[in-house]
Amino acid sequence: MNTHVVKTEKMVFGGSCIAYMDGAAVFIPYSLPQETLEISIVKKHKNYFEARAEKILERSKYRIEPPCRFFYSCGGCNLQFADNEYQKALRYAAAVEAFERAAKLKNGKDYECTFVSCSDWEYRSRFQFHISAAKKFAQKMQNSNALVEIDDCPVAVPEIRKLLNSGTKNFYGGQRLHIFASHGKIFTEQNASECFTEILGRKIAFNPLGFFQSNIKMTEKVITAILQDSVPNGRVLDFYSGVGTFSIFAADYAKEIHLVEHNKHALSYAKMNFTQFNFSGKKSAEIFYHAINGENWIKTESSKLKFDYAFVDPPRSGIDKISLEWFCRARISYLWYISCDPVSFARDMAVLLSAGYKIQRYYIFDFYPQTHHVETVCLLAYG
């Protein structure tokens, strides 16, 4: 096996550190900045290499022993080998760098970034587990379809940790199990047709198989920041609305809310959340539901309305091109962009800023400690 000695420079989004060898970038997982490593190349690309650390010759002072005994086999986390505070610094730096590279702005000069954190452990309420042939809970291994059996997960909320420890006697081998835990209750597709949770006093329902936020405490922090920084009044657009998690908090302020969501099942839960579970003494907004994807909604008459305020919470791939062009033309007074991917967020933000939007607030919410993932949240204003 041919090996090479390199020194890492910085961590990039994705969780790998970058080093250079003969002028080419080398990406090395499970490494930290300023470490000297003996590496082997596992994959060659045209302009860069992927490598594996074979030996740590000079280790970072921030490197620790991962608290989870499944860390190096389970594919769930990728940063447990760094201490918690240093992890935060790494996630912050990688997200800011991705944004500044695309938007060509400087933190502290052109905008101010606020980093918001919460619990480093026992925060995750939503999982997909596999049930192994031996009827044990399992996760996929890193970069593999092979399964690693687990009986604990320290990033899971206590209810799920207890379930993992109790075994899988009620499940069958080969099954993929969707689990959500809230307020002492466990929901799966087997024991419930819908999940319920409470966010800042609002009861919210969604399907166990559907998408929902995995960190409830941090979701509350996002919504609190939104309501503190702006009032969602006038005509509100909730684009990629899901079950209405964000716009439901606009109902007491707005005159009119339009939810655009291609998933009809998610939109049916949004209707339930607006009509059955939540109300106040104030006159609620008039709600319009559009079961259609963004590209097709833009062709409808409702897209020609003037919107005063918008929530945009796209999938990891970001806002689709046609919808992004529409937002540039729409010139919405206040637009909250909520993103789970700093790279697609940075790309879309560069387009919106070039169209005349300006940054009012910029947050990085530390939703997923022990991993490289964060949520970036930005308030844009036009005019």
Side-chain angles (χ1 to χ4, degrees), residues 233-281:
N233 54 16
R235 182 179 287 126
V236 174
L237 174 65
D238 191 351
F239 209 75
Y240 307 103
S241 71
V243 299
T245 305
F246 296 105
S247 58
I248 202 166
F249 291 90
D252 289 341
Y253 308 97
K255 294 180 180 178
E256 193 174 298
I257 300 175
H258 291 255
L259 290 85
V260 178
E261 171 57 55
H262 79 283
N263 187 320
K264 295 181 180 179
H265 297 293
L267 206 60
S268 68
Y269 280 101
K271 292 179 182 179
M272 182 187 300
N273 292 331
F274 271 99
T275 59
Q276 289 184 233
F277 299 142
N278 300 281
F279 57 90
S280 71

Side-chain angles (χ1 to χ4, degrees), residues 10 22 27 90 115 137 282 286 298 332 336:
K10 63 183 178 182
D22 298 327
F27 294 90
L90 293 173
F115 187 83
F137 287 109
K282 302 178 183 179
E286 188 174 6
I298 288 165
I332 296 170
W336 279 101

Side-chain angles (χ1 to χ4, degrees), residues 197 287 332:
T197 190
I287 314 297
I332 296 170

Side-chain angles (χ1 to χ4, degrees), residues 83-120:
D83 75 52
N84 291 327
E85 293 307 308
Y86 191 53
Q87 283 189 41
K88 292 180 174 68
L90 293 173
R91 287 190 287 271
Y92 174 88
V96 166
E97 183 190 35
F99 175 63
E100 294 188 350
R101 189 188 312 118
K104 297 180 172 58
L105 297 176
K106 186 69 176 175
N107 185 14
K109 178 183 177 183
D110 303 306
Y111 72 99
E112 297 290 338
C113 180
T114 302
F115 187 83
V116 182
S117 60
C118 198
S119 303
D120 295 309

Side-chain angles (χ1 to χ4, degrees), residues 19-38:
Y20 290 93
M21 192 174 67
D22 298 327
V26 184
F27 294 90
I28 312 162
Y30 301 115
S31 64
L32 292 173
Q34 304 305 308
E35 289 190 320
T36 302
L37 307 172
E38 184 178 307

